[in-house]
Structure formats: structure tokens, C-alpha cells
Amino acid sequence: MVTELMGFEIGTTSAWLVWILPFVAAMIIPGIGKLSKHATGYVAVAFALMSAVSAATMIPVALEAAELHHQITWIESLGLKGGVLADPLSIIMANVVGWISFLIMIYSTGYMKGDKDIPRFWFWMMFFIGSMQLIVLSDNLLQVFFGWEGVGLASYALISFWYRDKKKDHVGVEGRTVLGMLDYYSPTHAGMKAFIMTKVGDVMMIAGMLLIFLFAGTFGFKELLGDTSWATAMSAQGLLVPAFVLLFGGAMGKSAQFPLNEWLLEAMTGPTAVSALIHAATMVKAGVFLVARLGPLVFALGAAGILADQFFEIIAWVGAITALLLATQAMVNPEIKKVLAYSTGSQIGYMMMALGIAGLSYQYVDGYTAGFFHLISHAMFKASLFMAAGAILHTVGSRFMTDMGGLRKTMKKTYAFMWAAGLGLMGAPFITTGFWSKDAIFAAVYESGNEWALPLYIIAVLTAVITAFYTMRMMGLVFFGNKSKHIEKMEEEGHHVHEASLSMWIPYGILAVLTIGIGLIGLSAEEGLHHTFVEYLDHSYGIHSAHVANEPSILPGFLQGLNPVALGSSLIAFAIGAGLGYIFYIGRWVDPVKVVNSNIVFYSFHKLLLNRWYLNAMVYWCFVAAPLWLARGVFRYFERTAIDYGMNDGFQKAIGWSAKVVQGTQTGVSQSYLFVFGAGLLFVVLILLM
């Protein structure tokens, strides 16, 4: 740790390399692609591995709850420095991003095989990874923002990767409309939508950054904590909470939180490898990471008497609303990648809720640990689910689950791994990481003692029920029942459903196994993470965790320390959701179509969910259709009538008339000219006399 290399400590050198290496790969891949397109994949995988290994070398620092901080001069005239901050939060996150990205790179070598634009794909994937790691390891807000915009740019390029807009690359049902708005999107449309909607959050974020810089004179996280006079001054003027809420606006955009969530579903137009990267470990987790980075600072300010509780309340409620809203939509959507996308936004809502409630609790570290633990859990099982879904799409040739069915007989490996990852998403008791992280969130909310604890807790449990239901629905529609007509037609044409290639199933298989493996020791893993954050937050932010004496519990010995209410809620939520899903879609004892059509209430509610609560349509009406209508109205009635016909034509006619009048005065008779001269002179004299 203390060994020096060219002015850098060995540990800090690793921190720099984690995000620099992917950018280096991005720079050299276009040149290599000119020589060999096939070689670009090996280069991308190799550099992704080196970046992940660099992140892994810093794990001992995280285990010691220590940190590495190194700065260099960036913009000398402004006194700005660039740097890396490797603490337990960023080191764990860097490893999550690095290793899952590496597995997705391996998966992509099989999934994208034969694509003629493959060098462009590898360029943007490495640029994406580098930008995300820059966010994670930066020691200041300005540097974070550079990575933030890099992620946004790369996401636009990758979501709209198949920019030729072939019908097979669209999302939605062709011809379907909601409130007159087309609910069927091309890759280029989806990419532009994601770019614009996230930019709304980005504008909010930079406004918050500049507001803080105006008072603090620095963007550095360590500097902001070292001297809090800026916070006192901002609080006195009522600007502290607005500044942090503006920063959270950036997180809302990148993490697809309500009301900036509508871009997430259309992002499924990109290759599945892109979906796995965006929705598992990178872009949508950037917002969660930013909140996790800022949260301790805001809480420490509160402990010092500079209160900003409204910041945490907003985070908690935005997360709760998003979790429930998107979970309900996943219940009815027919496209497998869209179901997983809805699930991603919903689960990130869980993380936000935990990080928000942490700031409203005396035991800040409990909610903080729960939210971040769920981030780690979700990254594993959701990346696995997306890659497995991509393997299914690759062989079936359709994104609709109604075109699947009975695949457990022909895709046995994918079937097993999707079950393992799906159980993690459902929170299957005691054997999955998802169970322990969700239970930790339940406990953090329940024990917070906040006035909002009960409604937030109810939303959390209800969302867990729905999550288990739509996951069982997905598994049932894809793997159970008879072959669909689509598959039968494929087989008649000589195309047979087959297992994914080795390079594809090994990555999502590893993550599925980890979901179960870590789940089996989940309580110990959670306690270890909790202990690390206790020491880290105490040492770096002065946030102390109160020691609460453990009361006798009715739970067995290996579950001692868990909250019985939270545990009971976890078990009941899983049982109800999974049970209903099994009845409708695996056992098929009840036909869900008949239930939906049985009465007007069920039918209307199903339509409401299928139409995305009409929120997406309203976004288009308010921000696309209405402005276009207004623009056309201005063109038609103002520009064309008032400007073209009124001013332009009127001015032309007035000039023509004036010319004729002047022309008419040119008689050539001297008496006429003298008369006009005399009249004009008399007019001037009269004006002067007045």
C-alpha cells in the first residue's frame, strides 16, 4: 500500500487503472478493427479483465474499512484537482461493475458474433465501462459529471446500435396505440428518448453542483466534509436542501426513477448484452451510487445541526413509488426483456427507499447497508436473467413470451440458471442473495421509527408480492406449457430451438450460481458488509452506529439478530406471490385470460397496467405532441398568415402603392412642384409655432 511508483502509491495506481484501461481499449479498438474485426472482441475482453483485476487488488483496503485518496492538478487556473477516492463504497462498486462487465464481454463474443458493426459495438461498450468506473472512483462532483455524461452518450449509441430500424429490432406491439400515441418504438427513437429524458436529470444535477460550488468553492467530496461552513451558509438561505435535491434529479434520470422512468422500457431495443450492462451493473446503478456517496455527507451535516431531512424523505418516497409503479406494469407485459426492465426500475426503487430511510433513522448504517447489499444482489441475478433472456431470444427469434413455451425440455441449462437467478429476484427464503437483501430493507424500514415507516413498509412488502408473481409468470410462459405456434412453425422450416453456445451460457451460469452460493451464506455476508460500513462511516464521516442490546427472539439460533416481523413479511410475500404465479402460469389451474375478462374491474385494471398507467402516453402528449401542435399552429397561423401574408405581402403592396403615389406626383409641371414645396414649408412653420 505504501510502495511508491512514479509518485503514485501502488493502491492508488490500481484505482486510476480501473477506469483508464477501458478508455484505452476504446481508443485502440477502431484501429484494430481495420485489421481484424474478430480481434476486437479479444481486445475488449482482455482489457475488461485487466480493469476488473485492478479493482480486485483494492479489496484488502475495503476489508480494512480504509481508503485511498490521490489527487493531481487538473485545471490550475481554477484551482481544480482531479483525483481518485477508493473507499469501501467505491471499491465494492468498482468490483461489481468490473467483474460483471467482464462476464458480459465474454457473453457478447457469442451473442454479437457475425455482426458487421462489431468494432463499433466494442468501442462503445468499453467507453461505457470506463465512464461508469470514472463515476465510481472520482473524488469530486465535476469529475463524476464527466463520467455521468460519458455513460449517457454511450447509452444513446448502444440503445440505438441497430440504427437501421428493422422491425425485428423494435419494441412494443406493431400498430398499438395508447391515447392516440404509438406504443411501438424503433432503436433510433428509443436512443433519442433515453438521451433526452436522462438529460433532464443531468441539467438538474449540474445546477445542484454549481450551486454548491458557488458557496463551497470546491467540488471535492473530502473538501466538502472537511469544512462545512458552506452548508451553514446555504442552509441559512434555504438553498441546502434544493441543491441536494437537484443532485438527486440526476440520479432520478440515470436510474429511471419516477417521473423520469419512461425511457427505460424502450431501451430494450439495444442488443441484450447492452441491456444486461445498462440494467445490471452500470448506468441505472449510477444514480444509486451517487445517492450512496452523498447520503453520508448529508447525514453528517444533519448530525452537526445542519438539517436536510427533506432530502432523504424525497429519496425514500421516489423509490417507493417507482418500486410499486413499475412492478405492477411487469405483471402484464408480454415482452420478456421489458418485464426484466420493469423489474430493474422497481428493484432500484427498493435501493433508493433503503438509502432514503437510512437518513431518517437513528441507525443510518442499517438502511445504508441494506440498500447497497441489494445493489450487489440485484447486479448478479439481473445480469444473469438478461443474458439468459438474450440466449432465448437468440434461438427463438421473438421477444414475446407468448411465442415461447415448453423450452425447459430443449434449453435445460438456461432453464436451470434462470430458475436460480429468478429465485434471487423473487427473494426465495434462505437460499438466495435477494432474500437477505430484501429482508434487510424490510427491517431497516420497519425499525427506522420514522413517521413514514408504516406506509413505506406496506409498499415494500406489496412490491415483493408482485415481484414474486411476475417472475413466476415469466418462468411459466417461457419454459412451461406446450410449444407455441411460433416455435412449431420454426421447426417446420428446419430451425430447431437449441441451447446457447458455451461463451454465452457460462457467464450467466456463473452469476446464477453466485446468486445461490452467496445466498446460502447470505446472513454472514450481510453482517460482514454491515461491519465494514460501520467502521468506514464512523472513521470517514463520524457517523456512529448505536449499539442495541439483542432481545430474546423466538427465531432459531442461525436467524438470531433478524427482525421477526421483517422475516415473516419476507416469507409471506414470497409465498403469496410465487403461489399465485404458480397457480396461473406453471400449474395452469386457472386461466388468467378468463380471470381478466371475467368482470369490468379486472379488465379495466389490466388495461391500465398494460397501458403503463397512461404515463408514457401523457409524456408524449405533453412534451412531444403538444409542442409539435403548437409549432405547426405558429407556422400555419402566425408565420404564414401574419408574417408571410400580413407583413411581407402587406409591406410589398404598401411599397407598390407608395411608389405609384410618388410616381403620380412627377408631372413635369413647375407650378405643381412649387405648390408642393410651399405646402411643405407651411407645414414646417406651423409645427415650429406650435
Side-chain angles (χ1 to χ4, degrees), residues 32-47:
I32 294 173
K34 297 290 185 181
L35 303 175
S36 171
K37 290 184 178 181
H38 187 66
T40 55
Y42 295 112
V43 173
V45 171
F47 273 84

Side-chain angles (χ1 to χ4, degrees), residues 474-635:
M474 177 183 67
M475 297 298 296
L477 290 174
V478 173
F479 293 106
F480 291 83
N482 300 321
K483 294 179 181 177
S484 66
K485 293 181 179 179
H486 174 79
I487 293 178
E488 290 178 347
K489 184 179 179 181
M490 283 178 55
E491 292 177 341
E492 290 174 0
E493 295 173 352
H495 304 288
H496 295 281
V497 176
H498 55 84
E499 188 60 84
S501 63
L502 190 69
S503 62
M504 290 175 66
W505 71 257
I506 282 183
Y508 61 77
I510 290 173
L511 292 172
V513 171
L514 285 174
T515 298
I516 301 297
I518 298 178
L520 294 172
I521 59 167
L523 188 57
S524 299
E526 181 193 342
E527 289 175 347
L529 187 65
H530 186 276
H531 176 72
T532 298
F533 282 139
V534 165
E535 292 191 8
Y536 161 64
L537 293 174
D538 187 5
H539 178 265
S540 297
Y541 294 92
I543 299 174
H544 306 291
S545 179
H547 297 284
V548 181
N550 292 326
E551 298 180 0
S553 174
I554 60 173
L555 300 175
F558 77 100
L559 296 177
Q560 289 293 318
L562 295 181
N563 185 287
V565 176
L567 178 61
S569 300
S570 298
L571 298 175
I572 293 170
F574 174 80
I576 295 174
L580 289 173
Y582 186 91
I583 290 171
F584 284 111
Y585 296 101
I586 295 181
R588 309 211 173 190
W589 301 336
V590 181
D591 187 353
V593 177
K594 289 183 179 178
V595 173
V596 169
N597 295 326
S598 63
N599 63 70
I600 189 63
V601 176
F602 287 168
Y603 177 81
S604 300
F605 188 59
H606 179 272
K607 187 176 181 180
L608 176 68
L609 300 183
L610 193 61
N611 290 338
R612 301 163 67 168
W613 293 85
Y614 296 99
L615 294 174
N616 187 62
M618 286 189 282
V619 167
Y620 274 90
W621 270 112
C622 294
F623 299 105
V624 180
L628 287 175
W629 176 83
L630 180 62
R632 293 190 189 104
V634 169
F635 174 76

Side-chain angles (χ1 to χ4, degrees), residues 261-279:
N261 60 284
E262 293 300 330
W263 67 267
L264 188 68
L265 286 305
E266 282 71 63
M268 296 302 100
T269 57
T272 301
V274 173
S275 302
L277 192 65
I278 290 177
H279 292 76

